[in-house]
Amino acid sequence: MLMCCLVGSASAQQQIVFTPQWTAQAQFVGFYVAEAKGFYRDAGVNVRIQHPSPSNPCINQLKEGTSQLITLHLMTAMKTINEGTPIINVMQVLQNNSQMIVSHKPLKSIKDLKGKRVGCWKAGFVELPNIMNRHEHLNIEWVPFVSHVNLYISKAIDATTAQSYNEFFQLKMAGQRFQDSQLIYLKDIGYNIPEDGVYVTADYYKAHKTEVDKFVKASKQGWEWAAKHPQEALDIVMEACRKYGVNTNRIAQDWMLKQILELTKDKKTGKITFRLDPDALALANRLMLSNDYLHHAITYSQITEP
């Protein structure tokens, strides 16, 4: 009996390290809520949230085994599988794409960007803008930036890519004013590729299915609670930012939280499903295959089942 109790206790305390793909912010609210409200503890899983660094991104930590679960954009996950690392989507958090084009001048359509100078992230988030550029035959001259909006504000570029929950807010806070005709959301013009999902290696999932399933169940509970209690969830986000040493403010995180919660909803039903949409995977396959980002299609069973 004593041996059984000890084994059970050790299993319950086995630690899962979870690494989001960026520093602490409202983008990951559901996970912070699950930790702060004790949902992970109640589910019998010991979770430690460990944020990445620029020199050691979350995908590296997953491959090294220093993290067991991470978040990735769908396209990044598909490229990882294509390159020979089997990973499994166990929870799709964001159902929609947040990327947008912000222009100095009004745009009748995406074609008005043909031959223009457009800011784009130096690393990360670049696949979809590149695919759009090729697919629409725009011949855009991409001007790389790291994380700031100075290129746009100084008018060194004609337009910039932005995420609706991040750079777009930075532009607004810098005093920029926009008409709807200056904004194009990629999700509205045929490029609605889902972003954040939770991924685990196929080998780890096979060996620790029970623990992973508990993590997913408690995480879903955290996201659902955040959607029902946004102001209390914002308090938890601000505490997480302080805990992990991120300098931010409540106004910025409030904007991000509202945008992120909208992105969790299925575009057709308005509901939070936490499930990867097969149609979204099919669209990603078509776009990535036609632009040489994949050698072969990633099947739904390949990315969702061990």
Side-chain angles (χ1 to χ4, degrees):
M1 183 180 294
L2 179 60
M3 286 288 290
C4 289
C5 289
L6 289 172
V7 170
S9 176
S11 176
Q13 293 301 314
Q14 183 172 9
Q15 188 175 79
I16 289 180
V17 178
F18 166 66
T19 302
Q21 71 254 45
W22 195 237
T23 54
Q25 55 186 14
Q27 181 180 356
F28 312 115
V29 60
F31 307 111
Y32 302 138
V33 168
E35 180 184 49
K37 301 297 290 184
F39 298 155
Y40 291 134
R41 182 192 63 240
D42 294 345
V45 60
N46 180 9
V47 176
R48 178 165 66 89
I49 298 175
Q50 174 179 284
H51 289 274
S53 66
S55 62
N56 194 16
C58 62
I59 188 62
N60 286 3
Q61 296 186 33
L62 186 73
K63 291 177 180 179
E64 294 166 355
T66 53
S67 294
Q68 286 72 55
L69 291 129
I70 64 172
T71 58
L72 287 176
H73 283 196
L74 176 59
M75 279 189 165
T76 306
M78 293 170 69
K79 284 179 63 180
T80 300
I81 295 171
N82 185 70
E83 292 165 358
T85 302
I87 57 175
I88 303 298
N89 179 305
V90 292
M91 176 182 172
Q92 185 61 40
V93 181
L94 303 188
Q95 298 295 332
N96 300 289
N97 195 277
S98 71
Q99 294 188 42
M100 57 192 296
I101 303 288
V102 182
S103 172
H104 283 293
K105 295 181 179 180
L107 302 171
K108 292 181 181 178
S109 75
I110 197 69
K111 299 295 184 182
D112 289 344
L113 290 175
K114 190 169 185 177
K116 301 296 185 182
R117 287 166 54 85
V118 181
C120 193
W121 299 276
K122 188 174 183 179
F125 315 114
V126 298
E127 294 90 355
L128 196 55
N130 281 333
I131 286 172
M132 179 204 68
N133 186 31
R134 295 178 190 175
H135 191 71
E136 305 289 344
H137 307 289
L138 298 177
N139 195 30
I140 286 172
E141 179 187 349
W142 295 117
V143 180
F145 64 81
V146 178
S147 62
H148 297 291
V149 295
N150 296 346
L151 282 172
Y152 181 91
I153 294 171
S154 65
K155 296 189 177 180
I157 51 179
D158 301 299
T160 188
T161 53
Q163 286 167 293
S164 62
Y165 60 82
N166 194 357
E167 290 86 4
F168 184 47
F169 178 78
Q170 293 176 31
L171 287 168
K172 291 168 72 73
M173 290 300 99
Q176 302 294 303
R177 297 293 177 263
F178 303 102
Q179 299 175 358
D180 289 345
S181 58
Q182 293 174 259
L183 312 174
I184 293 180
Y185 293 86
L186 269 59
K187 64 183 175 62
D188 295 334
I189 59 169
Y191 300 95
N192 193 24
I193 306 299
E195 296 187 349
D196 297 4
V198 178
Y199 291 86
V200 59
T201 64
D203 286 343
Y204 186 86
Y205 186 71
K206 289 176 184 176
H208 303 277
K209 182 179 184 303
T210 300
E211 290 86 349
V212 173
D213 289 349
K214 287 178 179 179
F215 171 89
V216 170
K217 182 179 179 180
S219 296
K220 289 178 180 179
Q221 191 178 357
W223 280 95
E224 289 166 346
W225 192 95
K228 292 177 181 177
H229 308 88
Q231 286 307 305
E232 294 93 331
L234 186 57
D235 293 337
I236 292 172
V237 168
M238 295 307 298
E239 180 58 35
C241 291
R242 286 189 288 271
K243 175 180 177 181
Y244 295 107
V246 174
N247 292 321
T248 185
N249 61 74
R250 193 177 182 90
I251 296 174
Q253 295 304 316
D254 186 42
W255 172 277
M256 185 179 292
L257 178 62
K258 289 173 181 175
Q259 294 292 317
I260 287 293
L261 290 177
E262 281 300 311
L263 292 171
T264 64
K265 298 176 183 177
D266 182 272
K267 198 172 181 182
K268 292 171 281 191
T269 66
K271 296 180 179 179
I272 303 175
T273 66
F274 300 113
R275 174 178 172 268
L276 179 61
D277 185 348
D279 291 339
L281 177 65
L283 173 61
N285 269 311
R286 287 197 300 272
L287 292 174
M288 295 179 77
L289 284 167
S290 64
N291 287 273
D292 300 322
Y293 277 101
L294 293 179
H295 301 135
H296 53 78
I298 304 299
T299 66
Y300 194 76
S301 61
Q302 188 178 5
I303 200 170
T304 59
E305 299 174 12

